[in-house]
Amino acid sequence: MKQTEEVKQAFEQRMDHTELMNCMRCGFCLPSCPTYVETGDNEAASPRGRIALMKGVVDGLIEPDEEVEKQLNLCLGCRACEPVCPSGVQYGHLLEEARDILEQHKQRPLHERALRRVVFHWLFPNHKRIRQTVSLLYLYQKTGLKTWVQKMKINQWLPKHLDEMQSILPNVPSPAEMKHRPAFLGAKQPVRKRVAFFSGCLMDTLFMSTNDATLTLLQLAGCEVVIPKTQGCCGALHGHSGEKEKAKELAKRNIAAFESLDVDAIVTNAGGCGAFLTEYQNLFQDEPKWRKRAEQFTGKIKDFSEILVECGFHKAVPLSMPEQMVTYQESCHLRNVMRISQAPRLLLESIDHVNVQELPENQYCCGSAGIYNIVQPELSMKILDRKMKQVQSLQPSLMVTANPGCLLQMRLGVKQAGLECDIRVEHLADVLLESVPQEMKNHGRGGENG
Amino acid sequence: MLKRDDLKKRLSAILGAEHVHDSNEMKLAYSYDATPNYQALPDVIVSPGNMEEIQAIVQLCNETGTPIVPRGSGTNLSAGTCPSEGGIVLLFNRMTEIIELDADNLTATVQPGVTTETFIRYVEEQGFFYPPDPGSMRISTIGGNISENSGGLRGLKYGVTRDYVMGLKVIMPNGECVVTGGKCVKDVAGYDLTRLMVGSEGTLGVIGEATLKLLPPPESKQTLMAVYNDIEAAAQTVSEIIAAKIIPATMEFLDQPTIEVVEDYAGVGLPTDAAAILLIEQDGPSEMVQRDLQVIQRICQAQQAIDVERAKNEEHAEKLLTARRVALSACARKKPTTILEDATVPRSKVAAMVQAINGIARKYEVQICTFGHAGDGNLHPTILTDARDLEEMKRVEQAFAEIFQKAIEFGGTITGEHGVGMMKAPYLKWKAGSSGLNVMQSIKRALDPKNIMNPGKIFQSNPDGEMIAE
Ligand SMILES: Cc1cc2nc3c(=O)[nH]c(=O)nc-3n(C[C@H](O)[C@H](O)[C@H](O)COP(=O)(O)OP(=O)(O)OC[C@H]3O[C@@H](n4cnc5c(N)ncnc54)[C@H](O)[C@@H]3O)c2cc1C
Ligand code: SF4
Ligand code: SF4
């Protein structure tokens, strides 16, 4: 009971009352919300409903009980409700604050608490540990352990979706490769911009080749790239899971790592990280000094696709691929938070022989949503099924994504549908690099390790 | 009324437990609609899947005296779905089918839960036209549209929802199913029960199915935007166009503060420093559209429009009208509470009404954005305020009362399309008069003696949930 009282008080004190009132309950956001649609139009599972739930707790109309918490957790955090809201309600901030309050007052069983500590406090904030963990995966994939596990059917002990997940992970680079990352790369064209690169934790290990592709593209576009070693995890995972204090700590580290660099932009290649970086200032509502530093930092965040377009990469480099149909599946956070959806399309359309077709409902989340597909497997799979129906109706031979979570989720969907041989799923950076003429790619790396 | 647990048990027996909800969270989610400052928790929320289930629910409620609040998407603006007296909220989220499109009779038959836009797109794909297009059509339901007799942007030329409802299947408060009207264009067999149900705001029965009239689509359409430095000149243009015997399909008015917030959201290139704009659309055979547009353009210029611009293409036109549709929600960008009114005057009085509204805003020192279906004389003066500022809220109330009064003085009405609900129940007498109200209440009493259907709406209730008699 005491617990509930504390939660109520925290809602009353910490939630932004004006923002809650800014929702005038017009319902315009409802049809864009995947959880509303997938639950058969359940108002409680809609943005308007969730805002009302938060306000209901603030106003003392309802108790913040388990049902309320469940409903807030069922939200994908895809933020498709934001660009369609005529009143400009900042749903994402409300959600993050509410989840943080609930998390802080939650009594989790010991093993769950321990697991969260390991993931949020021990693993992600420390790049070396991430590397080591991914190295285990490398061993698993390379030593024949994987085949052995599959032969012995040990994987049947894993929950079905987790087993499927491990089977679609990319081929992991070796521990040595992950350790020796560049700190500076010169431009491969006359210099147009000097940028910093945000490497990300999973992107720089599990998806290292995509990071390399991105860096090469930037060089080809005429960018000098600085990659500060002191940067770390963006903190999105923490921010979205009610670990705001840890997110703040990580944010401070990144702001400090980048702010002294003399660069035109800080470039990301993962919608999820990029979006969180662009909102760092919201973490520091009551720390004006940090807020100011955060604002300077976020003002420079750009997706790599934007930078490539700004540098005229798509005009300068003759891109080409074998003839095929390609479709772009939006990354929710890139589209709804960073508001980028034209640049990736423009780049794809500049590739010769490629027929870019729009996937119906491509503004709809794929159900990956950070770790949603792990913590909410049921609804996540329903949403993925809906997405796959659209994919099957269009039948592209290549699906392009702009975020690692989406990439894995779409690969999972393709695998489940038995279409691995027909449809490739790739990150935009890998596709673009693939379409760069061979002679340009080989033209020296121009980098130095630091 | 039954105890909630018993009620839930009996409803579950009818519907299956998965379609009956009474968690905290669900009760809160169905406690409000788009009307600011009204909220009340229901006891149970139910989702029937067919007419028979609705019938069984209504019978149970009638037997036990349980209030029923039918609810579409909860976008109404008169507190029409606020369960002010508890009871059950009846949803149509499992009744969203388009049952039939009868091309020979130009009709379509639908379940009440289908959203307006889904329906409009569907009939358009089949080569037909359904004109009623409320600003909320993206999410509103046909059941809600019928029950509020909603208008829309095309109301000027094509009329409102009422003009397209040909027949209904209604579950009456005693649980009987009544079939009204049908596919016949002409039908004078007895009282027109269809029209009685249209606009009845869920107070007379539950609409379970509707047969709607379709039109052949217009051959072509053209849209223009006229920009003014003077708000009254814009309003005057509206009267002049009607006087010139031209009925455009759409004639929408937006004043400066509205233009600003709409442009802020939609970014379609509206002139944010203009005092007012008119969005005018005409449809029909292309020669007629061209001719009308030329005349309209001349009238706009004669009324000192500083700019008259034609939409570049259909996509641009659609963007302009979509921008207009979000006007109300966009107003919420400025202040946390937006309260909108629906005062309607004969079209010749639009200019006078706009002037009166501006005077009232000054008098009570409140911020009013005005936009609306100017061609119908249906304006939406919207007050931007903050419900937490009690002193200002008092002035807001006074301003609204004066706006209603003015509308009636001009021969208008207190609500053009948003319905009475709870919000305007205290003012209904002003428009209907004592005897009019008496007739309405007699009808209500005869059909729903236990006052179970959406009690407290249209007519005020006393604390015992009984209708306050005129
Ligand atoms: C931004 C915005 C713009 C709007 N623009 C317009 C506009 O241009 N023109 C206009 O007229 N209105 C407009 N409205 C008001 C509102 O959208 C309409 O009244 C709409 O028809 C309501 O539909 P709904 O499905 O949301 O119904 P609800 O709000 O759920 O219900 C409305 C009423 O209908 C009753 N009801 C619903 N379904 C049934 C049924 N099957 N049987 C019996 N009773 C039922 C309810 O009890 C209630 O009294 C607007 C609202 C918003 C928020
Ligand atoms: S669109 Fe915006 S204002 Fe309207 S209900 Fe959704 S969040 Fe609220
Ligand atoms: S973030 Fe996505 S899932 Fe959550 S309410 Fe908004 S649209 Fe719905």
Side-chain angles (χ1 to χ4, degrees):
Chain A
M1 214 56 241
K2 188 172 142 269
Q3 200 78 19
T4 320
E5 274 318 305
E6 281 172 9
V7 175
K8 277 178 12 195
Q9 244 174 30
F11 263 83
E12 155 83 37
Q13 281 162 7
R14 284 182 49 192
M15 296 301 293
D16 183 339
H17 292 213
T18 305
E19 197 60 43
L20 287 170
M21 287 175 76
N22 279 343
C23 169
M24 55 81 63
R25 299 184 171 166
C26 64
F28 273 40
C29 51
L30 271 55
S32 304
C33 171
T35 59
Y36 175 74
V37 175
E38 283 310 320
T39 54
D41 297 358
N42 177 0
E43 176 79 22
S46 79
R48 180 173 67 171
R50 293 190 176 110
I51 294 169
L53 287 177
M54 298 180 221
K55 186 160 189 302
V57 174
V58 169
D59 294 344
L61 274 174
I62 47 163
E63 301 277 311
D65 62 9
E66 220 173 281
E67 302 280 332
V68 172
E69 184 174 348
K70 245 204 220 146
Q71 194 49 265
L72 294 180
N73 285 339
L74 203 65
C75 170
L76 292 153
C78 70
R79 299 172 68 173
C81 43
E82 286 186 36
V84 295
C85 170
S87 315
V89 175
Q90 315 244 332
Y91 174 83
H93 304 169
L94 292 171
L95 180 75
E96 261 165 38
E97 202 65 35
R99 280 187 175 168
D100 194 56
I101 295 172
L102 290 170
E103 186 51 44
Q104 279 186 1
H105 293 88
K106 195 167 175 73
Q107 286 186 327
R108 292 182 181 277
L110 197 62
H111 68 276
E112 233 179 85
R113 277 208 313 265
L115 182 66
R116 282 180 76 95
R117 272 209 77 75
V118 168
V119 173
F120 292 119
H121 296 251
W122 183 82
L123 177 62
F124 273 89
N126 186 316
H127 194 69
K128 198 168 146 205
R129 291 188 191 134
I130 295 250
R131 232 168 46 215
Q132 287 163 345
T133 310
V134 175
S135 300
L136 289 179
L137 198 62
Y138 174 79
L139 289 178
Y140 172 75
Q141 289 178 341
K142 290 284 142 65
T143 56
L145 191 61
K146 184 175 178 179
T147 345
W148 185 76
V149 162
Q150 275 161 357
K151 266 209 191 112
M152 300 294 286
K153 302 216 162 87
I154 292 180
N155 46 342
Q156 73 189 9
W157 301 104
L158 282 172
K160 180 162 177 284
H161 64 281
L162 275 186
D163 175 41
E164 280 171 344
M165 273 291 170
Q166 65 89 17
S167 71
I168 45 146
L169 288 176
N171 278 331
V172 176
S174 74
E177 285 172 305
M178 285 191 280
K179 206 164 163 192
H180 297 288
R181 302 295 291 149
F184 175 83
L185 296 169
K188 293 186 178 187
Q189 296 291 326
V191 180
R192 287 170 179 270
K193 278 185 200 289
R194 182 179 159 84
V195 301
F197 184 64
F198 182 84
S199 341
C201 31
L202 289 181
M203 288 307 292
D204 219 34
T205 49
L206 209 51
F207 292 93
M208 199 180 87
S209 60
T210 302
N211 262 7
D212 284 339
T214 311
L215 290 168
T216 310
L217 294 171
L218 288 169
Q219 290 176 286
L220 286 169
C223 294
E224 277 183 354
V225 193
V226 192
I227 309 148
K229 287 266 167 190
T230 45
Q231 61 173 311
C233 169
C234 66
L237 188 60
H238 305 77
H240 302 321
S241 311
E243 298 273 349
K244 193 170 165 189
E245 281 312 310
K246 197 74 207 172
K248 267 169 140 171
E249 217 177 274
L250 296 170
K252 285 181 179 170
R253 183 168 81 189
N254 284 326
I255 293 168
F258 284 90
E259 67 190 343
S260 58
L261 304 175
D262 174 28
V263 290
D264 304 315
I266 301 169
V267 183
T268 70
N269 62 356
C273 305
F276 197 72
L277 296 175
T278 58
E279 296 194 323
Y280 268 0
Q281 69 273 20
N282 298 325
L283 292 168
F284 301 109
Q285 299 289 5
D286 7 273
E287 288 179 68
K289 274 204 191 120
W290 273 105
R291 193 182 160 89
K292 211 147 169 212
R293 288 169 76 177
E295 275 164 7
Q296 273 165 0
F297 172 85
T298 58
K300 286 192 178 171
I301 302 294
K302 292 220 166 153
D303 187 63
F304 81 104
S305 61
E306 256 179 304
I307 294 281
L308 293 184
V309 171
E310 277 173 23
C311 293
F313 166 84
H314 56 306
K315 291 185 189 141
V317 178
L319 303 169
S320 131
M321 275 188 126
E323 203 169 309
Q324 59 191 300
M325 190 211 288
V326 174
T327 194
Y328 173 62
Q329 163 61 34
E330 312 239 23
S331 142
C332 293
H333 282 185
L334 190 60
R335 174 180 186 273
N336 301 328
V337 184
M338 295 182 77
R339 307 279 166 116
I340 305 280
S341 62
Q342 283 320 308
R345 291 187 164 82
L346 189 65
L347 292 167
L348 286 175
E349 277 158 12
S350 321
I351 305 176
D352 274 348
H353 314 302
V354 153
N355 167 14
V356 183
Q357 292 288 330
E358 290 290 316
L359 185 70
E361 295 186 352
N362 58 7
Q363 76 288 6
Y364 225 72
C365 181
C366 63
S368 148
I371 50 171
Y372 190 89
N373 50 4
I374 300 172
V375 292
Q376 301 278 357
E378 197 185 325
L379 195 56
S380 166
M381 287 307 126
K382 259 175 110 173
I383 291 172
L384 179 60
D385 285 347
R386 182 182 175 112
K387 177 76 47 199
M388 288 315 296
K389 281 210 186 90
Q390 304 293 1
V391 172
Q392 272 163 329
S393 76
L394 186 70
Q395 301 206 331
S397 49
L398 175 59
M399 279 195 85
V400 181
T401 66
N403 187 56
C406 315
L407 180 95
L408 291 182
Q409 177 87 341
M410 289 318 307
R411 281 202 182 143
L412 181 64
V414 165
K415 184 180 158 101
Q416 284 175 346
L419 293 170
E420 297 129 292
C421 305
D422 309 308
I423 304 179
R424 266 202 317 149
V425 184
E426 300 292 349
H427 189 285
L428 177 63
D430 295 308
V431 172
L432 288 173
L433 191 64
E434 217 179 293
S435 44
V436 169
Q438 199 56 40
E439 65 279 9
M440 288 185 82
K441 271 188 260 191
N442 297 342
H443 178 73
R445 191 172 186 186
E448 323 163 355
N449 288 342
Chain B
M1 208 172 109
L2 279 177
K3 280 226 200 64
R4 189 181 346 131
D5 281 347
D6 294 333
L7 183 64
K8 196 181 161 193
K9 229 179 265 156
R10 292 184 63 182
L11 287 166
S12 302
I14 299 171
L15 292 168
E18 69 272 31
H19 302 304
V20 180
H21 299 278
D22 69 342
S23 65
N24 251 335
E25 161 229 20
M26 290 294 274
K27 288 198 299 194
L28 190 104
Y30 293 98
S31 65
Y32 55 82
D33 50 38
T35 324
N37 286 335
Y38 286 87
Q39 191 160 18
L41 302 181
D43 294 300
V44 184
I45 299 102
V46 294
S47 298
N50 55 47
M51 297 280 278
E52 291 70 33
E53 288 179 358
I54 301 179
Q55 261 181 303
I57 296 167
V58 174
Q59 266 157 6
L60 172 64
C61 291
N62 197 33
E63 179 194 314
T64 56
T66 309
I68 301 178
V69 183
R71 181 189 183 278
S73 294
T75 66
N76 75 86
L77 296 160
S78 51
T81 50
C82 170
S84 51
E85 296 173 23
I88 69 165
V89 167
L90 185 75
L91 302 177
F92 303 96
N93 59 336
R94 294 174 59 219
M95 295 182 67
T96 60
E97 240 166 80
I98 298 170
I99 300 169
E100 178 203 63
L101 192 148
D102 182 343
D104 297 334
N105 283 309
L106 285 174
T107 65
T109 302
V110 301
Q111 290 188 317
V114 63
T115 63
T116 316
E117 190 172 73
T118 309
F119 178 65
I120 288 181
R121 295 274 169 273
Y122 176 81
V123 300
E124 279 176 0
E125 272 163 28
Q126 309 292 317
F128 298 93
F129 179 41
Y130 177 76
D133 60 340
S136 52
M137 69 181 198
R138 185 144 192 250
I139 182 69
S140 71
T141 63
I142 293 288
N145 292 168
I146 295 174
S147 304
E148 297 285 7
N149 187 10
S150 297
L153 272 53
R154 301 191 277 236
L156 174 55
K157 181 170 179 176
Y158 291 103
V160 293
T161 304
R162 177 211 294 138
D163 303 305
Y164 296 86
V165 184
M166 299 188 64
L168 294 172
K169 278 191 191 161
V170 186
I171 290 96
M172 301 305 287
N174 62 6
E176 273 173 24
C177 178
V178 177
V179 181
T180 77
K183 291 184 183 173
C184 296
V185 178
K186 299 174 91 173
D187 179 4
V188 293
Y191 293 149
D192 189 341
L193 297 181
T194 311
R195 286 220 164 185
L196 176 63
M197 292 309 303
V198 173
S200 64
E201 304 187 22
T203 62
L204 296 181
V206 180
I207 296 168
E209 197 179 295
T211 298
L212 304 168
K213 177 164 101 177
L214 304 177
L215 297 180
E219 251 172 55
S220 72
K221 53 185 174 185
Q222 280 259 356
T223 308
L224 69 73
M225 172 168 75
V227 183
Y228 295 84
N229 266 340
D230 173 14
I231 197 173
E232 277 136 36
Q236 192 56 38
T237 305
V238 173
S239 306
E240 298 288 329
I241 291 174
I242 306 276
K245 299 201 175 62
I246 293 178
I247 309 278
T250 294
M251 188 144 56
E252 294 290 316
F253 169 91
L254 288 85
D255 72 356
Q256 192 279 330
T258 316
I259 301 171
E260 199 181 304
V261 287
V262 169
E263 178 60 20
D264 192 20
Y265 165 70
V268 289
L270 302 180
T272 48
D273 49 354
I277 56 171
L278 290 176
L279 291 176
I280 304 176
E281 183 165 288
Q282 180 60 305
D283 63 8
S286 64
E287 321 82 70
M288 184 201 94
V289 171
Q290 285 310 332
R291 200 179 54 224
D292 281 359
L293 246 72
Q294 273 162 13
V295 179
I296 291 170
Q297 196 154 352
R298 242 181 283 134
I299 294 174
C300 294
Q301 276 149 355
Q303 291 300 324
Q304 316 299 325
I306 49 173
D307 188 23
V308 183
E309 188 197 333
R310 293 219 186 167
K312 291 185 217 64
N313 48 37
E314 208 160 303
E315 192 187 343
H316 184 210
E318 194 47 46
K319 273 195 182 148
L320 290 174
L321 293 179
T322 306
R324 156 60 189 92
R325 288 198 179 96
V326 302
L328 167 59
S329 327
C331 285
R333 288 179 166 248
K334 287 225 156 157
K335 282 287 196 94
T337 311
T338 41
I339 310 182
L340 144 148
E341 263 322 320
D342 185 28
T344 303
V345 293
R347 339 189 215 238
S348 59
K349 293 286 194 291
V350 168
M353 190 65 202
V354 167
Q355 207 167 13
I357 292 169
N358 287 338
I360 293 169
R362 276 192 299 274
K363 178 169 164 193
Y364 293 100
E365 295 176 49
V366 288
Q367 189 183 359
I368 303 191
C369 287
T370 300
F371 55 90
H373 319 299
D376 308 336
N378 185 189
L379 296 172
H380 294 314
T382 300
I383 299 194
L384 308 186
T385 178
D386 187 331
R388 293 167 293 190
D389 183 344
L390 300 178
E391 188 274 326
E392 182 167 294
M393 287 302 283
K394 253 198 218 115
R395 281 183 282 124
V396 168
E397 227 163 88
Q398 289 166 334
F400 275 139
E402 196 161 326
I403 290 174
F404 293 160
Q405 205 130 32
K406 260 283 166 302
I408 292 186
E409 249 173 67
F410 287 136
T413 175
I414 55 170
T415 168
E417 58 179 15
H418 295 162
V420 179
M422 292 173 73
M423 198 181 178
K424 284 186 203 137
Y427 304 102
L428 178 58
K429 200 165 132 187
W430 293 14
K431 164 68 182 147
S434 295
S435 45
L437 189 57
N438 202 355
V439 173
M440 292 186 198
Q441 290 195 328
S442 307
I443 295 173
K444 167 78 175 169
R445 229 176 270 120
L447 297 179
D448 182 16
K450 290 194 177 169
N451 196 22
I452 59 163
M453 288 305 309
N454 214 358
K457 316 298 153 55
I458 305 188
F459 315 108
Q460 287 176 286
S461 291
N462 68 20
D464 292 331
E466 289 153 357
M467 189 162 64
I468 298 175
E470 180 34 42

